[in-house]
Amino acid sequence: AQVLAESGGDSVQAGGSLRLSCAASGYTHRAYSMGWFRQAPGKEREGVATIDLDGSIESTEYADSVKGRFTISHDGAQNILYLQMNSLKPEDSAMYYCAADCGYSLYVFEATIRDGCPQEGQGTQVTVSS
């Protein structure tokens, strides 16, 4: 079975940093794209960042709310997706999920996750206190 398992969520103070990991297992093929989205209580799912794994250059896209603070990356050898989060703000508090093959662009990714991407993990909680 294909499994995406997130880890690294924690409670931190504003201005702090966290690195989230998403380990992919059971995949017989390389995903063409992966991404992170988040969902806070009472809010819609929000696309955070995507990475295109299908080309020679792994292009990335970020939501405006996290640009300059978050960095998405992928370790192809171990098939682990990362999200480095710096300068965290209270509004970053949410459950963070990784997903695979939900669209190349952030725009398509965000549209896909709202209905549920077939390949998404169970999430890891990030709480940022002021």
Side-chain angles (χ1 to χ4, degrees), residues 16-41:
S17 297
L18 284 174
R19 187 175 81 155
L20 306 184
S21 300
C22 170
S25 61
Y27 282 78
T28 57
H29 70 280
R30 178 181 169 91
Y32 67 79
S33 70
M34 296 188 76
W36 291 93
F37 66 93
R38 64 189 181 186
Q39 188 168 25

Side-chain angles (χ1 to χ4, degrees), residues 1-6 22-35 53 74 76-81 98-102 117-122:
Q2 296 171 336
V3 177
L4 297 172
E6 302 94 337
C22 170
S25 61
Y27 282 78
T28 57
H29 70 280
R30 178 181 169 91
Y32 67 79
S33 70
M34 296 188 76
L53 303 177
H74 182 254
Q78 299 197 56
N79 207 5
I80 300 175
L81 182 72
C98 67
D101 291 345
C102 299
C117 180
Q119 299 178 62
E120 56 184 64
Q122 295 300 305

Side-chain angles (χ1 to χ4, degrees), residues 29-81:
H29 70 280
R30 178 181 169 91
Y32 67 79
S33 70
M34 296 188 76
W36 291 93
F37 66 93
R38 64 189 181 186
Q39 188 168 25
K43 294 191 176 181
E44 285 191 347
R45 291 179 161 191
E46 176 191 14
V48 174
T50 58
I51 184 165
D52 179 354
L53 303 177
D54 210 22
S56 57
I57 299 174
E58 295 182 340
S59 59
T60 57
E61 285 189 75
Y62 298 91
D64 288 344
S65 58
V66 306
K67 269 181 192 173
R69 301 187 297 123
F70 290 12
T71 303
I72 188 172
S73 62
H74 182 254
D75 181 333
Q78 299 197 56
N79 207 5
I80 300 175
L81 182 72

Side-chain angles (χ1 to χ4, degrees), residues 85-109:
M85 306 188 295
N86 298 327
S87 303
L88 283 161
K89 305 175 181 179
E91 50 264 43
D92 294 320
S93 297
M95 187 72 82
Y96 282 71
Y97 302 85
C98 67
D101 291 345
C102 299
Y104 283 108
S105 69
L106 186 61
Y107 177 80
V108 174
F109 180 78

